[in-house]
Amino acid sequence: MSDNTAASFLGKTGMAQADFDRVARTPLFVRLPAERLQTLLTEALVKPYRRGEILFFQDEPADRFFFVLDGWVKIFRLTSHGEESVINVFTRGDSFAEAAIFELGTFPVTAQAAEDSRVLAIMATPFLRKLSSEPELCLNIMASMSRHLRSLVSQLEQLTTKSSVQRLAEFLVHMAPYGSGAAEIRLPVDKSLIAGRLGMQPETLSRSLSKLRSVGVDTRQDRVRIDDVATLRDFSQN
């Protein structure tokens, strides 16, 4: 596409060029040429959400899926006692709710902005209509759903086989942008969100963060500094 066409696309969707570049690098859209990706996302729209705002409620029609550009989003279900059971949390670079749109049924969970966030909302009907000409994208989406499923299976396994410190270490490894070397991660201000995701109490999370100092993890407010991601991965698996 020409520069004018690309500028028109960015203006229509509300994306900055850096947003589009980030979306293009994700496993969901990787290897798609920029022009084809722009065609797929012509009806997508960037939406800001304040902390606490709902993106969608459980049992609402599943007519869209999402890509997190900035901030944190949590998905949860309410227990029979009205308490939140956090299923997962997503941050910059993560997509979610892809599986729900293929059934064109309802969302099985509620999604809420855990911090001020920006997300790209991708409407299901036009997106699915264009999939017929993008077989490679179909494979990418299947792989993305598989990753989400493996993540849920891994969560269940962690709860029964790993200590709270190991579960936290594995979570931080997953959040790190690189597979080795130093990394810095920004956590949501509300640490209970991470605690709920990992199946522990907030005070247990605080103690676990302190214990990780011995393997090169330093926490300052919402910033976590990892000396070496590979070392932390080894710790989480032993």
Side-chain angles (χ1 to χ4, degrees), residues 168-189:
L168 177 58
E170 191 162 273
F171 175 79
L172 295 177
V173 168
H174 171 72
M175 296 301 303
Y178 310 108
S180 61
E184 185 173 277
I185 301 166
R186 180 177 173 270
L187 297 179
V189 174

PDB file of all heavy atoms in Angstrom, residues 168-189:
ATOM      1  N   LEU A 168       5.387 -18.303  40.563  1.00  0.00           N
ATOM      2  CA  LEU A 168       5.679 -16.899  40.282  1.00  0.00           C
ATOM      3  C   LEU A 168       6.849 -16.782  39.315  1.00  0.00           C
ATOM      4  O   LEU A 168       6.808 -15.966  38.371  1.00  0.00           O
ATOM      5  CB  LEU A 168       5.976 -16.150  41.580  1.00  0.00           C
ATOM      6  CG  LEU A 168       6.379 -14.687  41.423  1.00  0.00           C
ATOM      7  CD1 LEU A 168       5.302 -13.893  40.701  1.00  0.00           C
ATOM      8  CD2 LEU A 168       6.674 -14.074  42.792  1.00  0.00           C
ATOM      9  N   ALA A 169       7.884 -17.572  39.513  1.00  0.00           N
ATOM     10  CA  ALA A 169       9.047 -17.533  38.620  1.00  0.00           C
ATOM     11  C   ALA A 169       8.636 -17.867  37.191  1.00  0.00           C
ATOM     12  O   ALA A 169       9.062 -17.204  36.232  1.00  0.00           O
ATOM     13  CB  ALA A 169      10.114 -18.501  39.117  1.00  0.00           C
ATOM     14  N   GLU A 170       7.805 -18.885  37.034  1.00  0.00           N
ATOM     15  CA  GLU A 170       7.364 -19.276  35.690  1.00  0.00           C
ATOM     16  C   GLU A 170       6.534 -18.177  35.044  1.00  0.00           C
ATOM     17  O   GLU A 170       6.638 -17.923  33.840  1.00  0.00           O
ATOM     18  CB  GLU A 170       6.580 -20.581  35.770  1.00  0.00           C
ATOM     19  CG  GLU A 170       6.306 -21.213  34.424  1.00  0.00           C
ATOM     20  CD  GLU A 170       5.920 -22.675  34.548  1.00  0.00           C
ATOM     21  OE1 GLU A 170       6.830 -23.528  34.565  1.00  0.00           O
ATOM     22  OE2 GLU A 170       4.708 -22.948  34.624  1.00  0.00           O
ATOM     23  N   PHE A 171       5.699 -17.517  35.837  1.00  0.00           N
ATOM     24  CA  PHE A 171       4.901 -16.412  35.317  1.00  0.00           C
ATOM     25  C   PHE A 171       5.800 -15.275  34.829  1.00  0.00           C
ATOM     26  O   PHE A 171       5.575 -14.712  33.744  1.00  0.00           O
ATOM     27  CB  PHE A 171       3.951 -15.906  36.403  1.00  0.00           C
ATOM     28  CG  PHE A 171       3.154 -14.692  36.005  1.00  0.00           C
ATOM     29  CD1 PHE A 171       2.035 -14.819  35.203  1.00  0.00           C
ATOM     30  CD2 PHE A 171       3.532 -13.430  36.434  1.00  0.00           C
ATOM     31  CE1 PHE A 171       1.304 -13.695  34.840  1.00  0.00           C
ATOM     32  CE2 PHE A 171       2.805 -12.305  36.074  1.00  0.00           C
ATOM     33  CZ  PHE A 171       1.687 -12.444  35.276  1.00  0.00           C
ATOM     34  N   LEU A 172       6.812 -14.926  35.605  1.00  0.00           N
ATOM     35  CA  LEU A 172       7.715 -13.852  35.218  1.00  0.00           C
ATOM     36  C   LEU A 172       8.497 -14.212  33.957  1.00  0.00           C
ATOM     37  O   LEU A 172       8.734 -13.352  33.096  1.00  0.00           O
ATOM     38  CB  LEU A 172       8.675 -13.527  36.368  1.00  0.00           C
ATOM     39  CG  LEU A 172       8.032 -12.951  37.632  1.00  0.00           C
ATOM     40  CD1 LEU A 172       9.082 -12.754  38.721  1.00  0.00           C
ATOM     41  CD2 LEU A 172       7.316 -11.635  37.338  1.00  0.00           C
ATOM     42  N   VAL A 173       8.887 -15.475  33.842  1.00  0.00           N
ATOM     43  CA  VAL A 173       9.577 -15.925  32.624  1.00  0.00           C
ATOM     44  C   VAL A 173       8.666 -15.740  31.417  1.00  0.00           C
ATOM     45  O   VAL A 173       9.096 -15.287  30.348  1.00  0.00           O
ATOM     46  CB  VAL A 173      10.017 -17.398  32.760  1.00  0.00           C
ATOM     47  CG1 VAL A 173      10.468 -17.958  31.412  1.00  0.00           C
ATOM     48  CG2 VAL A 173      11.142 -17.519  33.781  1.00  0.00           C
ATOM     49  N   HIS A 174       7.398 -16.104  31.583  1.00  0.00           N
ATOM     50  CA  HIS A 174       6.436 -15.957  30.485  1.00  0.00           C
ATOM     51  C   HIS A 174       6.275 -14.491  30.082  1.00  0.00           C
ATOM     52  O   HIS A 174       6.099 -14.175  28.898  1.00  0.00           O
ATOM     53  CB  HIS A 174       5.089 -16.534  30.902  1.00  0.00           C
ATOM     54  CG  HIS A 174       3.978 -16.246  29.932  1.00  0.00           C
ATOM     55  ND1 HIS A 174       3.892 -16.856  28.698  1.00  0.00           N
ATOM     56  CD2 HIS A 174       2.915 -15.380  30.014  1.00  0.00           C
ATOM     57  CE1 HIS A 174       2.824 -16.406  28.058  1.00  0.00           C
ATOM     58  NE2 HIS A 174       2.222 -15.509  28.830  1.00  0.00           N
ATOM     59  N   MET A 175       6.334 -13.584  31.069  1.00  0.00           N
ATOM     60  CA  MET A 175       6.139 -12.164  30.792  1.00  0.00           C
ATOM     61  C   MET A 175       7.379 -11.496  30.205  1.00  0.00           C
ATOM     62  O   MET A 175       7.275 -10.440  29.588  1.00  0.00           O
ATOM     63  CB  MET A 175       5.756 -11.426  32.088  1.00  0.00           C
ATOM     64  CG  MET A 175       4.431 -11.845  32.684  1.00  0.00           C
ATOM     65  SD  MET A 175       3.043 -11.590  31.560  1.00  0.00           S
ATOM     66  CE  MET A 175       3.203  -9.843  31.222  1.00  0.00           C
ATOM     67  N   ALA A 176       8.542 -12.116  30.382  1.00  0.00           N
ATOM     68  CA  ALA A 176       9.795 -11.507  29.914  1.00  0.00           C
ATOM     69  C   ALA A 176       9.819 -11.436  28.387  1.00  0.00           C
ATOM     70  O   ALA A 176       9.383 -12.367  27.704  1.00  0.00           O
ATOM     71  CB  ALA A 176      10.987 -12.307  30.420  1.00  0.00           C
ATOM     72  N   PRO A 177      10.318 -10.326  27.827  1.00  0.00           N
ATOM     73  CA  PRO A 177      10.340 -10.185  26.355  1.00  0.00           C
ATOM     74  C   PRO A 177      11.383 -11.047  25.671  1.00  0.00           C
ATOM     75  O   PRO A 177      11.313 -11.261  24.464  1.00  0.00           O
ATOM     76  CB  PRO A 177      10.637  -8.695  26.161  1.00  0.00           C
ATOM     77  CG  PRO A 177      11.378  -8.288  27.402  1.00  0.00           C
ATOM     78  CD  PRO A 177      10.788  -9.123  28.510  1.00  0.00           C
ATOM     79  N   TYR A 178      12.378 -11.538  26.422  1.00  0.00           N
ATOM     80  CA  TYR A 178      13.446 -12.334  25.825  1.00  0.00           C
ATOM     81  C   TYR A 178      13.618 -13.638  26.607  1.00  0.00           C
ATOM     82  O   TYR A 178      13.268 -13.727  27.777  1.00  0.00           O
ATOM     83  CB  TYR A 178      14.764 -11.558  25.823  1.00  0.00           C
ATOM     84  CG  TYR A 178      14.653 -10.162  25.261  1.00  0.00           C
ATOM     85  CD1 TYR A 178      14.718  -9.056  26.105  1.00  0.00           C
ATOM     86  CD2 TYR A 178      14.447  -9.957  23.902  1.00  0.00           C
ATOM     87  CE1 TYR A 178      14.589  -7.766  25.597  1.00  0.00           C
ATOM     88  CE2 TYR A 178      14.325  -8.681  23.390  1.00  0.00           C
ATOM     89  CZ  TYR A 178      14.395  -7.590  24.233  1.00  0.00           C
ATOM     90  OH  TYR A 178      14.256  -6.319  23.737  1.00  0.00           O
ATOM     91  N   GLY A 179      14.187 -14.628  25.931  1.00  0.00           N
ATOM     92  CA  GLY A 179      14.352 -15.937  26.545  1.00  0.00           C
ATOM     93  C   GLY A 179      15.559 -16.052  27.436  1.00  0.00           C
ATOM     94  O   GLY A 179      15.699 -17.029  28.184  1.00  0.00           O
ATOM     95  N   SER A 180      16.449 -15.078  27.374  1.00  0.00           N
ATOM     96  CA  SER A 180      17.645 -15.092  28.218  1.00  0.00           C
ATOM     97  C   SER A 180      18.140 -13.665  28.391  1.00  0.00           C
ATOM     98  O   SER A 180      17.658 -12.738  27.738  1.00  0.00           O
ATOM     99  CB  SER A 180      18.740 -15.959  27.583  1.00  0.00           C
ATOM    100  OG  SER A 180      19.122 -15.444  26.321  1.00  0.00           O
ATOM    101  N   GLY A 181      19.118 -13.513  29.278  1.00  0.00           N
ATOM    102  CA  GLY A 181      19.648 -12.186  29.550  1.00  0.00           C
ATOM    103  C   GLY A 181      18.771 -11.398  30.504  1.00  0.00           C
ATOM    104  O   GLY A 181      17.783 -11.905  31.044  1.00  0.00           O
ATOM    105  N   ALA A 182      19.125 -10.148  30.718  1.00  0.00           N
ATOM    106  CA  ALA A 182      18.393  -9.290  31.646  1.00  0.00           C
ATOM    107  C   ALA A 182      17.078  -8.833  31.034  1.00  0.00           C
ATOM    108  O   ALA A 182      16.936  -8.719  29.819  1.00  0.00           O
ATOM    109  CB  ALA A 182      19.251  -8.086  32.031  1.00  0.00           C
ATOM    110  N   ALA A 183      16.107  -8.589  31.902  1.00  0.00           N
ATOM    111  CA  ALA A 183      14.802  -8.108  31.439  1.00  0.00           C
ATOM    112  C   ALA A 183      14.138  -7.324  32.545  1.00  0.00           C
ATOM    113  O   ALA A 183      14.412  -7.522  33.729  1.00  0.00           O
ATOM    114  CB  ALA A 183      13.917  -9.276  31.018  1.00  0.00           C
ATOM    115  N   GLU A 184      13.271  -6.412  32.153  1.00  0.00           N
ATOM    116  CA  GLU A 184      12.463  -5.664  33.116  1.00  0.00           C
ATOM    117  C   GLU A 184      11.004  -5.830  32.749  1.00  0.00           C
ATOM    118  O   GLU A 184      10.621  -5.715  31.587  1.00  0.00           O
ATOM    119  CB  GLU A 184      12.826  -4.184  33.128  1.00  0.00           C
ATOM    120  CG  GLU A 184      12.073  -3.408  34.211  1.00  0.00           C
ATOM    121  CD  GLU A 184      12.547  -1.966  34.352  1.00  0.00           C
ATOM    122  OE1 GLU A 184      13.554  -1.739  35.051  1.00  0.00           O
ATOM    123  OE2 GLU A 184      11.905  -1.088  33.749  1.00  0.00           O
ATOM    124  N   ILE A 185      10.180  -6.105  33.754  1.00  0.00           N
ATOM    125  CA  ILE A 185       8.748  -6.344  33.564  1.00  0.00           C
ATOM    126  C   ILE A 185       7.975  -5.363  34.420  1.00  0.00           C
ATOM    127  O   ILE A 185       8.340  -5.096  35.568  1.00  0.00           O
ATOM    128  CB  ILE A 185       8.374  -7.781  33.968  1.00  0.00           C
ATOM    129  CG1 ILE A 185       9.160  -8.791  33.128  1.00  0.00           C
ATOM    130  CG2 ILE A 185       6.885  -8.023  33.825  1.00  0.00           C
ATOM    131  CD1 ILE A 185       9.097 -10.188  33.687  1.00  0.00           C
ATOM    132  N   ARG A 186       6.908  -4.831  33.866  1.00  0.00           N
ATOM    133  CA  ARG A 186       6.021  -3.954  34.632  1.00  0.00           C
ATOM    134  C   ARG A 186       4.784  -4.739  35.017  1.00  0.00           C
ATOM    135  O   ARG A 186       4.055  -5.238  34.160  1.00  0.00           O
ATOM    136  CB  ARG A 186       5.631  -2.728  33.812  1.00  0.00           C
ATOM    137  CG  ARG A 186       4.708  -1.767  34.553  1.00  0.00           C
ATOM    138  CD  ARG A 186       4.415  -0.536  33.720  1.00  0.00           C
ATOM    139  NE  ARG A 186       3.403   0.285  34.358  1.00  0.00           N
ATOM    140  CZ  ARG A 186       2.095   0.166  34.167  1.00  0.00           C
ATOM    141  NH1 ARG A 186       1.644  -0.773  33.368  1.00  0.00           N
ATOM    142  NH2 ARG A 186       1.241   0.959  34.779  1.00  0.00           N
ATOM    143  N   LEU A 187       4.546  -4.860  36.308  1.00  0.00           N
ATOM    144  CA  LEU A 187       3.369  -5.551  36.818  1.00  0.00           C
ATOM    145  C   LEU A 187       2.251  -4.544  37.092  1.00  0.00           C
ATOM    146  O   LEU A 187       2.513  -3.349  37.271  1.00  0.00           O
ATOM    147  CB  LEU A 187       3.700  -6.298  38.113  1.00  0.00           C
ATOM    148  CG  LEU A 187       4.737  -7.418  38.016  1.00  0.00           C
ATOM    149  CD1 LEU A 187       4.952  -8.035  39.389  1.00  0.00           C
ATOM    150  CD2 LEU A 187       4.308  -8.473  37.012  1.00  0.00           C
ATOM    151  N   PRO A 188       1.005  -4.997  37.129  1.00  0.00           N
ATOM    152  CA  PRO A 188      -0.077  -4.079  37.503  1.00  0.00           C
ATOM    153  C   PRO A 188       0.105  -3.605  38.938  1.00  0.00           C
ATOM    154  O   PRO A 188       0.688  -4.307  39.771  1.00  0.00           O
ATOM    155  CB  PRO A 188      -1.340  -4.931  37.349  1.00  0.00           C
ATOM    156  CG  PRO A 188      -0.865  -6.339  37.442  1.00  0.00           C
ATOM    157  CD  PRO A 188       0.508  -6.351  36.856  1.00  0.00           C
ATOM    158  N   VAL A 189      -0.370  -2.402  39.224  1.00  0.00           N
ATOM    159  CA  VAL A 189      -0.248  -1.849  40.572  1.00  0.00           C
ATOM    160  C   VAL A 189      -0.951  -2.750  41.583  1.00  0.00           C
ATOM    161  O   VAL A 189      -0.469  -2.968  42.695  1.00  0.00           O
ATOM    162  CB  VAL A 189      -0.828  -0.414  40.608  1.00  0.00           C
ATOM    163  CG1 VAL A 189      -0.850   0.107  42.047  1.00  0.00           C
ATOM    164  CG2 VAL A 189      -0.017   0.513  39.720  1.00  0.00           C
TER     165      VAL A 189
END
